[in-house]
Amino acid sequence: MLVAGLMSGTSLDGIDVAIVDIAKAKDDGLAVRGVATHCVPYDPTVRAALLGVSNCETHTREIARLHFLLPRLYAEAFHATCERAGLKAGDVALIGCHGQTVYHEGQPADVLGHRVASTLQLGDGSVLAELTGVPVVSDFRPRDIAAGGQGAPLVPYFDWLLFRDAERGRALVNIGGIANVTLLAAGCAQAQVRAYDSGPGNMAIDALVAHYTEGAKRYDADGEIALSGAVDPELLSILMSDDYYRRRAPKSAGREQYGREFVQMLLQSGLEPADLVATVTHLTAATIADSICSQLREPEEEGFQVIVSGGGVHNPALMRLLRSELPEEMELATTAEFGVDPDFKEAIAFAVLAHETWHRRGSNLPSATGARRQVVLGKVSY
Ligand SMILES: Nc1ncnc2c1ncn2[C@@H]1O[C@H](COP(=O)(O)OP(=O)(O)O)[C@@H](O)[C@H]1O
Ligand SMILES: [Mg+2]
């Protein structure tokens, strides 16, 4: 079955499309074969509008409009991907569309005397189904929240399905805006999967670079700025002392932790731009490595593999630091070595999650989200 996955992450860089062929594997699992991938960057005006409605009080009109604009952009990206792969839209049986998160509050807050957890992904599934003629699964997170979960992370189910190994323990690390980690002990069952956000991914680095270049650059291309600077040990140790890094999993982070206020605080350090970028790049690498080591018992480290995906794999400064922060006996690889394009792992994951929903199978992991039970995720627009 050909399934497309559409993902747009917290970095707000653009729309990732992956088309995969999903079949039953011998061991009752799924075999996922890549067919096409394509990334369509957001136009700067769209990016600014999305940033404008992310985590702030805003006019409902802008939210409603973006909710209906995004599926048009998603449909264009989907059609462009099909065309590049020589496919007709009708060859694809199903689309899984994550949408663009503009608000996420996985922990219940006090709302008019009730305890309410909430999340909002823009990009309406009905519009996307109408524009593509392909059934769409969208809105994956609410059902997990309804079942008492945090609505995130959802990729661990995919990680478990494709990356678990009978003999070796593995950590799957996605370095997008935020860094997400899935821990798969050797031979682990679904209920043993642990997952959490280790802290910042590229988000703080991106914001600093955008600030210093007045928006001319969106990220530290090839880690050049970080590589030209020196880490400030004092600031690094202050940043690392944040309580968040000592909390046990499950835990999740977002733009509210590493967005505007965090960057304002960093800028007040008065460090040279390159030194500040180097320090924050180090923070990302060190918090990922520390979080993995602190969750493992020592014997588990033997032959342990850390497998990275997300835009962060393109930042050599970050990858080198991650290598040096991890114990020597751990292997460091990217998902490319396992046949999964690191830039499209999350899009592929949402194709697989849509496939599970289509077959009425649950695909949240209660051990990762905190839900009371496994539930069928998402809404289907036929
Ligand atoms: N060549 C590169 N050098 C350094 N960083 C890069 C490079 N390419 C991508 N990135 C980083 O990856 C980010 C996008 O990663 P992505 O996995 O798409 O995140 P998200 O899932 O949050 O959208 C960019 O914002 C940038 O920080
Ligand atoms: Mg992205």
Side-chain angles (χ1 to χ4, degrees):
M1 176 178 191
L2 284 195
V3 186
L6 269 64
M7 177 69 202
S8 38
T10 46
S11 297
L12 291 168
D13 53 331
I15 303 164
D16 301 327
V17 187
I19 299 178
V20 291
D21 193 3
I22 305 177
K24 258 198 150 55
K26 281 187 246 86
D27 60 354
D28 233 26
L30 294 178
V32 180
R33 184 178 63 84
V35 173
T37 55
H38 183 43
C39 171
V40 180
Y42 278 136
D43 188 86
T45 54
V46 173
R47 184 179 145 78
L50 287 170
L51 209 50
V53 297
S54 297
N55 288 102
C56 62
E57 289 160 31
T58 187
H59 208 300
T60 45
R61 183 180 63 191
E62 303 312 320
I63 295 175
R65 286 177 167 178
L66 288 168
H67 190 45
F68 281 72
L69 166 67
L70 280 179
R72 293 200 199 183
L73 306 182
Y74 291 151
E76 282 173 20
F78 168 75
H79 285 301
T81 310
C82 289
E83 200 170 305
R84 290 160 61 98
L87 294 170
K88 293 190 296 293
D91 296 335
V92 177
L94 184 66
I95 294 175
C97 180
H98 174 270
Q100 185 72 56
T101 298
V102 289
Y103 194 75
H104 186 82
E105 193 163 53
Q107 298 275 8
D110 256 324
V111 183
L112 307 175
H114 299 267
R115 302 288 296 160
V116 181
S118 61
T119 188
L120 186 59
Q121 283 74 40
L122 299 189
D124 185 73
S126 297
V127 178
L128 183 58
E130 187 65 23
L131 291 175
T132 57
V134 179
V136 172
V137 180
S138 59
D139 268 327
F140 289 86
R141 301 189 187 278
R143 189 60 186 265
D144 180 78
I145 289 185
Q150 297 210 19
L154 299 181
V155 175
Y157 176 85
F158 169 82
D159 289 336
W160 178 82
L161 211 55
L162 266 84
F163 290 96
R164 70 184 189 278
D165 187 86
E167 259 102 61
R168 24 193 355 175
R170 289 173 168 169
L172 276 294
V173 182
N174 191 72
I175 312 180
I178 297 292
N180 331 110
V181 181
T182 303
L183 293 177
L184 303 169
C188 78
Q190 276 191 16
Q192 294 164 318
V193 176
R194 286 171 289 167
Y196 58 90
D197 293 341
S198 58
N202 301 296
M203 189 180 284
I205 304 171
D206 287 0
L208 283 175
V209 173
H211 173 84
Y212 288 130
T213 63
E214 290 173 3
K217 287 189 182 163
R218 263 213 337 93
Y219 56 86
D220 182 12
D222 304 328
E224 273 177 14
I225 303 175
L227 289 170
S228 73
V231 173
D232 184 82
E234 208 175 311
L235 177 62
L236 182 64
S237 86
I238 293 172
L239 294 174
M240 298 277 300
S241 69
D242 188 329
D243 261 356
Y244 181 80
Y245 306 122
R246 261 163 297 285
R247 271 182 23 211
R248 302 284 301 174
K251 55 181 179 176
S252 64
R255 201 165 272 286
E256 47 300 341
Q257 262 140 296
Y258 301 106
R260 279 175 224 135
E261 281 164 39
F262 184 72
V263 170
Q264 283 309 319
M265 181 271 289
L266 292 174
L267 290 170
Q268 277 163 19
S269 69
L271 288 183
E272 288 297 313
D275 296 346
L276 194 48
V277 173
T279 305
V280 171
T281 304
H282 200 117
L283 174 72
T284 293
T287 49
I288 291 169
D290 285 4
S291 75
I292 293 170
C293 295
S294 69
Q295 304 272 348
L296 296 183
R297 289 173 294 273
E298 248 167 63
E300 285 183 300
E301 292 185 12
E302 211 46 54
F304 192 89
Q305 290 175 312
V306 177
I307 306 170
V308 189
S309 60
V313 300
H314 301 297
N315 183 334
L318 182 55
M319 291 302 282
R320 259 180 246 173
L321 283 165
L322 184 56
R323 174 63 279 176
S324 65
E325 291 292 311
L326 287 169
E328 250 172 66
E329 61 272 24
M330 284 193 192
E331 274 175 37
L332 180 63
T334 75
T335 55
E337 281 107 290
F338 296 81
V340 174
D341 185 332
D343 287 323
F344 294 93
K345 181 191 156 192
E346 294 210 311
I348 295 169
F350 279 93
V352 169
L353 291 176
H355 175 269
E356 298 303 87
T357 297
W358 191 250
H359 291 96
R360 298 195 183 203
R361 284 195 287 266
S363 58
N364 57 331
L365 292 184
S367 64
T369 65
R372 286 182 294 273
R373 64 191 188 99
Q374 192 163 59
V375 285
V376 180
L377 300 176
K379 303 183 179 75
V380 182
S381 305
Y382 290 96

